[in-house]
Amino acid sequence: MRRSTGSRWVAWVMVSAAAAVLCVVSLGGQSDEGRYDQVVASISKKGLRELGAYATLAKLLAEGPRLTGSPQADAAVAAMAVHMRALGFENVRLEPTTVGHWIRGEGEEGQIVSPLAGTIPVKVRAIGNSIATPSQGITAGVVEVRTFQELETLGDKARGRIVFFNGAMDPTLIDAFQAYGGAARQRSGGAVAAAKAGGVAAVVRSLTLGIDDDPHTGTMSYDEGTPKIPAVTISTAAAERLSEVLRRDPEAKFRFRTSSRTLAPVTSHNVMGEIRGVKKPEEVILLGGHIDSWDLSPGAHDDGAGCAQSIEALRLIKDLGLKPKRTIRAVLFMDEENGGSGGRD
Ligand SMILES: [Zn+2]
């Protein structure tokens, strides 16, 4: 959900490349400061003239959304290995990692059903790792909460109902990622909390400060010992709508259907390439991003940008003919979104 402007992004590539070089470049006879200034300026100018990170990003996004276990994720790994080789990186290679394999399935649909407000279609999106509803869907009354504490105080009121988590991100937090963190638990842990309260499903407000009609996905998990119930997100606009209907008609029902499935884990790969150091090649400076994305978006910012920046930093250093003392490696990790396996294996 992070956003950044093009210029900030270019600046980040410069900083990454410059930082890597400043740590490693051979200084020759000049004063450190004079030499580094020239190196930084050369990286900066080349980067601003060529904007190669965008070309790399376009290659990555051409493969489509890259959910772990998907053919698009494998295609992206292959494409980035080819790209790194074409850029002349050394030791371009794949590193196996075992990833989860969850698929969304077809035909997600939802409705608010209220004798007072009528039947209102609502887009729903299964949260990553959620089980599906039965094929006929789930229809139940709704209990709305904004916090987990509020759910705990409900006693028996959630039993047999859909728990609607309508906690909004805090718009007063300047750091939007803090606001995101404050609200993300209802997505990751809402199903377990709802099931413990006797609920039959969890419906979760999407994590964005904007009011739009675009339901998001993300990851969630189940607890051993707690019944697994389906969990979906609805958009922020739909969350406002559902809340308003419930104020007018507390007996309104929500109906939805999903067909997601968890398949057996599969082998996927981190992809990496490097510029070998000329003095201490065994010492490695690592730049990285994660190559996987959720299935509902191209993952340009999260984290195509991180991948493109890492590759571009190496490209600039290499094409300028800089000879780092230490090895500088770009790693595109497989699986941050749905378990984080690539960074651990
Ligand atoms: Zn991410």
Side-chain angles (χ1 to χ4, degrees):
M1 54 78 68
R2 284 159 287 171
R3 285 162 202 268
S4 62
T5 64
S7 59
R8 269 174 59 197
W9 192 31
V10 170
W12 167 238
V13 174
M14 305 311 162
V15 169
S16 301
V21 169
L22 291 181
C23 292
V24 295
V25 78
S26 176
L27 288 174
Q30 291 188 39
S31 77
D32 291 12
E33 217 171 286
R35 176 65 183 264
Y36 286 153
D37 280 355
Q38 290 168 28
V39 169
V40 170
S42 66
I43 292 172
S44 167
K45 281 188 182 150
K46 185 175 174 63
L48 287 168
R49 253 195 322 267
E50 299 175 3
L51 297 178
Y54 288 96
T56 294
L57 184 63
K59 277 188 201 297
L60 180 59
L61 300 193
E63 304 302 335
R66 305 172 297 281
L67 186 57
T68 49
S70 67
Q72 295 93 325
D74 286 345
V77 165
M80 287 298 101
V82 167
H83 184 49
M84 285 194 202
R85 287 192 186 103
L87 292 174
F89 294 2
E90 297 160 81
N91 294 330
V92 175
R93 61 202 185 277
L94 308 186
E95 181 183 66
T97 176
T98 303
V99 298
H101 191 191
W102 176 87
I103 55 171
R104 176 168 303 283
E106 303 285 325
E108 296 178 322
E109 58 181 11
Q111 301 170 311
I112 301 168
V113 182
S114 158
L116 280 180
T119 299
I120 303 167
V122 173
K123 287 187 227 167
V124 300
R125 295 289 176 262
I127 301 175
N129 297 318
S130 175
I131 62 166
T133 64
S135 57
Q136 74 276 18
I138 286 179
T139 306
V142 181
V143 61
E144 176 180 353
V145 295
R146 285 169 197 267
T147 63
F148 279 41
Q149 293 87 322
E150 198 181 333
L151 178 60
E152 280 163 23
T153 64
L154 286 181
D156 233 21
K157 292 199 185 101
R159 193 155 301 282
R161 293 187 166 234
I162 291 170
V163 178
F164 169 35
F165 291 92
N166 194 22
M169 284 172 59
D170 182 349
T172 66
L173 294 172
I174 300 302
D175 179 352
F177 209 69
Q178 254 190 315
Y180 176 86
R185 196 171 148 231
Q186 59 190 345
R187 187 200 66 217
S188 58
V192 168
K196 282 184 173 156
V200 294
V203 170
V204 182
R205 179 189 181 104
S206 286
L207 294 170
T208 173
L209 286 162
I211 299 295
D212 59 32
D213 199 26
D214 184 19
H216 298 189
T217 189
T219 194
M220 61 159 282
S221 57
Y222 291 111
D223 251 7
E224 290 303 319
T226 305
K228 291 184 178 180
I229 60 173
V232 292
T233 62
I234 58 176
S235 71
T236 46
E240 297 286 314
R241 189 83 188 269
L242 177 56
S243 184
E244 182 204 320
V245 169
L246 289 170
R247 269 197 300 279
R248 287 165 53 203
D249 178 8
E251 294 310 310
K253 289 187 160 53
F254 194 78
R255 174 188 299 157
F256 72 97
R257 193 168 75 87
T258 57
S259 58
S260 50
R261 274 193 303 154
T262 298
L263 307 177
V266 296
T267 299
S268 187
H269 298 89
N270 300 329
V271 53
M272 60 185 78
E274 62 199 30
I275 301 170
R276 292 288 284 170
V278 292
K279 290 267 173 62
K280 298 181 174 178
E282 70 290 351
E283 294 185 16
V284 178
I285 292 168
L286 194 145
L287 305 173
H290 70 83
I291 193 168
D292 63 304
S293 76
W294 280 105
D295 60 325
L296 298 178
S297 89
H301 278 108
D302 185 8
D303 187 25
C307 295
Q309 287 160 0
S310 304
I311 290 174
E312 178 68 354
L314 265 68
R315 185 189 77 85
L316 293 170
I317 292 164
K318 182 175 169 16
D319 285 6
L320 284 165
L322 298 167
K323 300 282 180 215
K325 279 185 189 168
R326 294 171 179 81
T327 295
I328 307 177
R329 181 176 298 161
V331 183
L332 316 186
F333 293 98
M334 178 56 74
D335 191 10
E336 182 272 344
E337 300 295 2
N338 210 13
S341 65
R344 283 197 308 266
D345 288 357

